[in-house]
């Protein structure tokens, strides 16, 4: 966890206990825990929204693939379009 070992963690906790006192330290820890929980909840919601959008995009892209479209059939009366004669030609 952030490269902090057990001795460093104990030193930080001891300093916090000396600076903040035994009355404020539990309140600070509780507030910090609630803040981290709220942050985690918010990031999970954002991740879920991105996953949902990705799923919707995947569904729409698979629905729009040409393999689902019926093949076009040529009819006997269909012929290539004819171009009109050029009106600038002299006769």
């Amino acid at each position: 966890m952030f490269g902090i070992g057990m001795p460093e963690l104990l030193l930080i906790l001891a300093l916090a206990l000396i600076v903040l006192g035994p009355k404020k330290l539990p309140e600070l820890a509780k507030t910090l825990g609630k803040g981290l929980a709220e942050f985690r909840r918010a990031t999970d919601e954002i991740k879920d929204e991105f996953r949902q959008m990705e799923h919707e995009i995947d569904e729409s892209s698979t629905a729009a693939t040409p393999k689902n479209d019926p093949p076009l059939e040529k009819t006997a009366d269909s012929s290539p379009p004819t171009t009109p004669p050029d009106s600038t030609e002299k006769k």
Side-chain angles (χ1 to χ4, degrees):
M1 179 172 89
F2 306 114
I4 297 176
M6 185 58 80
E8 291 90 0
L9 187 60
L10 290 175
L11 180 64
I12 292 171
L13 290 175
L15 287 174
L17 184 60
I18 292 170
V19 171
L20 298 174
K23 292 182 181 178
K24 292 263 185 176
L25 190 59
E27 293 173 14
L28 179 68
K30 183 178 179 181
T31 304
L32 185 63
K34 285 183 179 181
L36 288 174
E38 182 65 30
F39 180 74
R40 175 176 263 173
R41 196 173 307 121
T43 56
D44 286 343
E45 288 177 8
I46 291 171
K47 286 179 188 178
D48 289 340
E49 287 181 27
F50 278 120
R51 286 185 190 123
Q52 183 181 7
M53 291 173 65
E54 182 181 21
H55 183 68
E56 290 174 1
I57 290 170
D58 287 343
E59 283 181 352
S60 65
S61 67
T62 56
T65 57
K67 65 182 179 183
N68 293 338
D69 292 339
L72 296 176
E73 296 180 13
K74 290 187 176 184
T75 57
D77 63 319
S78 66
S79 59
T82 58
T83 57
D86 193 9
S87 61
T88 59
E89 286 183 22
K90 295 182 179 177
K91 292 185 179 182

